[in-house]
Amino acid sequence: MGYIYVQPIGDLDKSIVEVTAEMVEKILNIRLKILPHIEGPTYAFDPMRMQYHSTKILKYIVTNHNSSALRTVGITDVDLFIPILTYVFGEAQLDGRAAIVSTARLRQEFYGLKYDRNLLIERLTKETLHELGHTFGFTHCELEHCVMHLSNKVADVDQKTDKFCANHQYQLNKKLSELEMQNES
């Protein structure tokens, strides 16, 4: 089976990306490959909102997606938004090949609190899994413990686990099995 590529974008702590990738790799049981760091997404900056349009970054990832990758997830440090929402933790192509996740609002410092590396990694792992779940075709889950549960605020991220509910885990296993068969043929 192929890899999920992780694309660091912007001013990120390399070790945070590496540990998050290891956690996601263990949970999904899929190899992750970290790509070389690229510069921040200045092309997506909206001066009126002082934020970055996540769909523009997602479009960049899709355009530059390595066709041999199962999926590509970008991880950035900039504050993301889509026009209909004040902010987003990430965005993904539903049943597509790319996703973007931001550390900006996952950091304790964003809320005036002391830096907590472990909490940041835990939150980033959950949101990376969540957005990758969307790329596998999963919609939001009603079960609060499922990693696919909607997170409107950081407290929602903290409440859910880094695991898929039984239904989503079954769907993931089925999807990965299908992808493996496609790669073998």
Side-chain angles (χ1 to χ4, degrees), residues 16 19-20 23-24 27 75 89-90 101-131 147 149 151 153-162:
I16 298 289
V19 173
T20 300
M23 303 280 289
V24 170
I27 293 164
I75 298 178
F89 296 120
V101 180
S102 172
T103 62
R105 291 179 186 252
L106 300 176
R107 297 176 168 279
Q108 287 289 82
E109 311 91 289
F110 187 87
Y111 306 98
L113 302 170
K114 186 178 174 193
Y115 176 72
D116 186 331
R117 183 178 190 276
N118 291 336
L119 185 57
L120 173 60
I121 291 168
E122 180 183 315
R123 289 171 175 170
L124 184 56
T125 298
K126 290 175 186 180
E127 288 308 298
T128 301
L129 288 164
H130 180 92
E131 296 306 335
V147 77
H149 189 71
S151 295
K153 53 191 180 300
V154 77
D156 297 333
V157 178
D158 292 340
Q159 183 175 355
K160 64 186 176 182
T161 69
D162 62 0

Side-chain angles (χ1 to χ4, degrees), residues 79-93:
D79 191 23
L80 301 176
F81 80 95
I82 58 174
I84 62 169
L85 295 173
T86 305
Y87 67 90
V88 292
F89 296 120
E91 183 181 355
Q93 293 180 301

Side-chain angles (χ1 to χ4, degrees), residues 41-61:
T42 54
Y43 56 87
F45 184 69
D46 183 316
M48 296 293 288
R49 293 183 66 143
M50 300 300 288
Q51 291 175 295
Y52 294 77
H53 196 296
S54 61
T55 308
K56 289 181 180 181
I57 303 170
L58 189 58
K59 202 174 284 188
Y60 173 88
I61 293 168

